Amino acid sequence: MSAPTETAYWITATPPTPNGDLHIGHLAGPYLAGDVLRRYLAAEGTGTVRYTTGLDDHQSYVPVRGLNDGGRKGEEVADGYGASIESVWHRSGADFDAIVRPRRDVGYQSAVQEFFQRLFDTGHIVARTKPLPYCAGCERWLYEAYLKGDCPHCGSGSNGNACEPCGRPNDCADLVDPVCTACGAAAELRDCERLYFPLAPWEEQLDAFWQDVDMPPHLRALCERMRAEGLPEIAVSHPSEWGVPVPVAGFTEQRIYVWFEMAPGYLLEWRGCGETGPAPAPVQFFGFDNGYFHAVLFPAAFRAYDPSIALPEAFVVNEFYRLEGLKFSTSRRHAIWAHEELARTGADVLRYHVLSDRPNGRQTSFSSAALEISRARLADRWDGWLGRLLTAVAEDTGGTVPAEAPQGPAWERLRARLTETVGQLREAYGIGGYDARRAIALLDEVVASAEDFGYVNGFENERPAGAAAYRAALAAQLAVAAALSAWAAPALPFGSARLAELLGLPAVRRVDASALTPMAPGAPVAAWPGAVFSG
C-alpha cells in the first residue's frame, strides 16, 4: 500500500516595488498576514508549506524615482531599496521560502519571454495600433508612472494602466486630462503599435473560476462589473527601455508590461522553493488595488499558457491602510517607514498592532497614539499577567510547576471557554475563514480570561486552608500560558518563542486544545525576565 500523498500549501504575497522603503501600510497589508497563515499551517504539520514573494524591479515607478532623485539609475534604486525591503521582512518575522529577484535571478528573463512568446505564437497576444500619450518635451511615451490624469471609470486621480481607488484598468489614452509626471506638460496622443492580450475570449472560464475561488465581495463586485461592461484588451507591451524586452519580432524595442510579467513571475516563485512538481492552488495575499490583476489578468494568462496550471483557491485582500487620512504611498513619500518603526518598536508589538488594525473589508488608519495603546496592552495585560504568574511560581513553589493539578468548577469553566475560543482561533487562522483582526481579538480574550482567573483565585492564598487551591490555580494559569505560547505563535512569533522557552516547551506546536494540557508537576519554570511580548 502506497504512503498517503502529503498536502502542499502555497501562499503568495504581491511583490513590492523597490522604489522606496517598505512602510507600515505594506506590513499591514499582505506581508505579515501571509506570514501568519504560513506559520499556522506549518505548525499543523499536515503538509509542506511554501510562502513566496519577489521584488517588482521592472515597475516604471523605479526609474521614475531615480529621475526624481536627481538622475539615479533605475538599477541603483532597485538594488538599494530591494535590500532594505528584504531586511524589513526579516526583522518583522515575515519569513519567505523564496524571493524572486527579476534582474539577478538566472533564467528569469528567458522564462518570462518564453511565457510571452507562447501566448503570441498561439494567437492570444495580438498587435494593435492605438493612441498612446506622448510627451514632446521629454521625448517619451507615457504609460504607468510616467503618466497621470483622471480615471475614465471613477474620475479619481490615476496613473496609467490601472487606477488604485477603483481597481480598474485603463489604456492610458483614455485618462482624462493626461499629463507627463516628469515635467507636468499636457500629453499629446499619438498612434503606437503595441501588443495586447484580449480578455474577452476567457470570459466564461473566468466566470467559472470566480464561482470557485474564495474572495471578498468587494473584489467579486469588481470582477462582475468588468464582465458586465465587457472585458477589455490589455496592453502587454510598452515602448520603453526599462524591463524585460519583448521577444516578438518587430517589437523588441518595447518592454513587457510589468504586471503581465508578474504572471510567469509567480510560477518562478514556486520553482524558487526548489519544487519541481506542479504548483498547488495558491492562497494569494494582496491589496484591493492589485485585485484585477490577480482575479482577471493572471488567471486568463495562465489559462492561455497552460490550462493545467492550478488557479488560486483563495484571495485574501486588504483595503487601503491610511495615514492621517491619506493612503500610505511610497511614491508620494507619505508614509511611516517600517525600518524606522522597527527600530523604535519591537516586532511583536508592531505585528500585534497592524494585524489588529488590518484593513479587512474597510479602510483603517494608522496613528502613533494607537500604536502606543497596543504597546501598553501587551505590557499591562499580557506581560502583566505573565509577570505576576511567573513571580508567584518562583515565590511559592521555588520556580517549578505546582504539584497540585488544576481542578474545581472555575478551572472547568475556564478550560471549556478556552477550548471553544481556540476552535474559533483555528478558523480565524485558517484558509477558509482567515481573519487576522479576529485572531488578535481572540488572543486578547484568552489573556483577559486568564488574568481574571488569576485575580479571582489569588484570594485562595488568604484562606487559612487555601494554599493547595491557590497552587492549583497557579498550575491552571501555567496551562493557559503554555497554550498561549502555541496559540499566539502565528501572529506574535518572537514573544511566543520566548514564553515557550521560559516554560521549557517546544517553540512550534499546533494551535488546538491539546496545547492547554496542564504542565507536568515539578517541571522547571524560568524566572520572569521583565518582558516577553512587549519588549
Side-chain angles (χ1 to χ4, degrees):
M1 183 175 179
S2 61
T5 302
E6 186 180 58
T7 302
Y9 299 98
W10 182 23
I11 306 163
T12 74
T14 310
T17 303
N19 65 324
D21 295 302
L22 279 190
H23 52 64
I24 300 299
H26 289 126
L27 293 185
Y31 305 115
L32 293 183
D35 180 72
V36 170
L37 178 60
R38 177 192 69 81
R39 292 177 184 274
Y40 169 73
L41 292 175
E44 287 289 281
T46 57
T48 301
V49 184
R50 300 290 185 239
Y51 185 30
T52 67
T53 189
L55 292 171
D56 203 9
D57 287 358
H58 294 144
Q59 280 280 0
S60 56
Y61 293 90
V62 172
V64 167
R65 175 63 191 274
L67 289 174
N68 293 336
D69 285 352
R72 292 171 65 201
K73 292 182 178 180
E75 292 84 354
E76 296 174 333
V77 173
D79 289 345
Y81 287 119
S84 173
I85 288 168
E86 292 190 50
S87 173
V88 165
W89 282 334
H90 177 72
R91 292 165 60 190
S92 65
D95 292 337
F96 294 99
D97 296 287
I99 300 172
V100 168
R101 301 165 180 85
R103 293 181 308 99
R104 287 175 282 170
D105 288 359
V106 175
Y108 177 90
Q109 178 170 297
S110 60
V112 170
Q113 290 177 323
E114 186 276 331
F115 185 97
F116 194 96
Q117 185 74 55
R118 183 189 296 188
L119 267 61
F120 178 81
D121 292 343
T122 52
H124 299 305
I125 289 178
V126 295
R128 295 280 190 263
T129 299
K130 296 185 180 184
L132 181 66
Y134 185 84
C135 179
C138 295
E139 297 183 334
R140 178 185 292 121
W141 291 100
L142 306 179
Y143 70 99
E144 227 179 15
Y146 294 104
L147 176 70
K148 62 182 179 181
D150 292 333
C151 174
H153 304 290
C154 71
S156 300
S158 174
N159 287 112
N161 297 94
C163 173
E164 285 189 347
C166 75
R168 296 283 295 272
N170 63 68
D171 197 38
C172 298
D174 53 356
L175 286 181
V176 179
D177 299 326
V179 299
C180 172
T181 56
C183 70
E188 58 182 77
L189 298 183
R190 297 185 182 182
D191 283 345
C192 179
E193 187 179 28
R194 289 175 289 164
L195 295 170
Y196 278 76
F197 179 62
L199 291 171
W202 308 101
E203 178 179 351
E204 295 301 323
Q205 293 192 48
L206 285 171
D207 184 63
F209 165 62
W210 297 336
Q211 302 313 310
D212 291 338
V213 67
D214 184 357
M215 63 175 164
H218 193 188
L219 181 56
R220 192 173 298 279
L222 171 64
C223 295
E224 293 176 354
R225 189 165 59 249
M226 286 185 63
R227 185 189 184 196
E229 296 178 10
L231 294 175
E233 296 186 339
I234 303 299
V236 292
S237 74
H238 294 101
S240 175
E241 298 178 350
W242 183 256
V244 177
V246 172
V248 175
F251 295 89
T252 55
E253 297 302 312
Q254 296 189 17
R255 298 295 181 266
I256 296 174
Y257 177 38
V258 68
W259 279 102
F260 199 72
E261 171 192 331
M262 195 178 293
Y266 273 128
L267 302 181
L268 292 172
E269 288 181 16
W270 176 251
R271 296 177 201 168
C273 297
E275 304 291 347
T276 56
V283 178
Q284 297 195 300
F285 285 74
F286 53 86
F288 176 76
D289 54 326
N290 299 155
Y292 132 76
F293 301 110
H294 290 82
V296 184
L297 182 62
F298 298 162
F302 290 141
R303 282 288 174 261
Y305 179 74
D306 181 357
S308 70
I309 292 175
L311 298 184
E313 66 169 298
F315 293 136
V316 183
V317 184
N318 60 276
E319 302 290 336
F320 288 144
Y321 199 38
R322 294 187 171 270
L323 172 64
E324 298 173 358
L326 298 175
K327 176 183 173 289
F328 276 87
S329 173
T330 299
S331 59
R332 293 192 300 271
R333 322 308 295 159
H334 180 74
I336 291 180
W337 307 114
H339 70 281
E340 295 178 352
E341 193 58 62
L342 284 167
R344 297 186 291 264
T345 302
D348 273 343
V349 173
L350 193 56
R351 288 174 69 108
Y352 175 92
H353 181 73
V354 300
L355 292 171
S356 66
D357 199 30
R358 179 172 160 79
N360 175 28
R362 87 286 273 166
Q363 297 182 7
T364 55
S365 187
F366 176 87
S367 74
S368 295
L371 176 62
E372 287 305 313
I373 292 174
S374 292
R375 189 199 312 269
R377 184 177 296 117
L378 286 173
D380 298 342
R381 302 293 298 275
W382 290 51
D383 280 349
W385 162 60
L386 290 169
R388 290 189 296 275
L389 171 61
L390 266 62
T391 299
V393 169
E395 293 175 350
D396 290 326
T397 63
T400 61
V401 177
E404 293 80 0
Q407 59 184 318
W411 163 243
E412 295 302 326
R413 287 192 297 270
L414 178 62
R415 181 167 61 180
R417 186 183 314 131
L418 296 184
T419 299
E420 180 180 349
T421 299
V422 76
Q424 297 175 35
L425 184 61
R426 288 178 58 82
E427 180 182 61
Y429 277 150
I431 295 174
Y434 185 88
D435 187 346
R437 292 174 64 98
R438 178 64 177 146
I440 295 297
L442 289 166
L443 292 172
D444 277 335
E445 288 182 24
V446 170
V447 173
S449 296
E451 183 183 42
D452 287 347
F453 181 91
Y455 276 124
V456 169
N457 290 280
F459 289 103
E460 293 283 9
N461 210 28
E462 296 184 10
R463 296 173 48 228
Y470 174 70
R471 289 192 294 270
L474 292 180
Q477 292 176 75
L478 285 173
V480 179
L484 182 66
S485 70
W487 296 353
L492 310 179
F494 301 102
S496 296
R498 286 191 289 267
L499 178 57
E501 183 178 8
L502 292 173
L503 300 177
L505 298 170
V508 178
R509 287 170 294 143
R510 294 187 69 204
V511 177
D512 62 13
S514 68
L516 191 57
T517 302
M519 296 177 62
V525 176
W528 176 242
V532 168
F533 289 101
S534 61

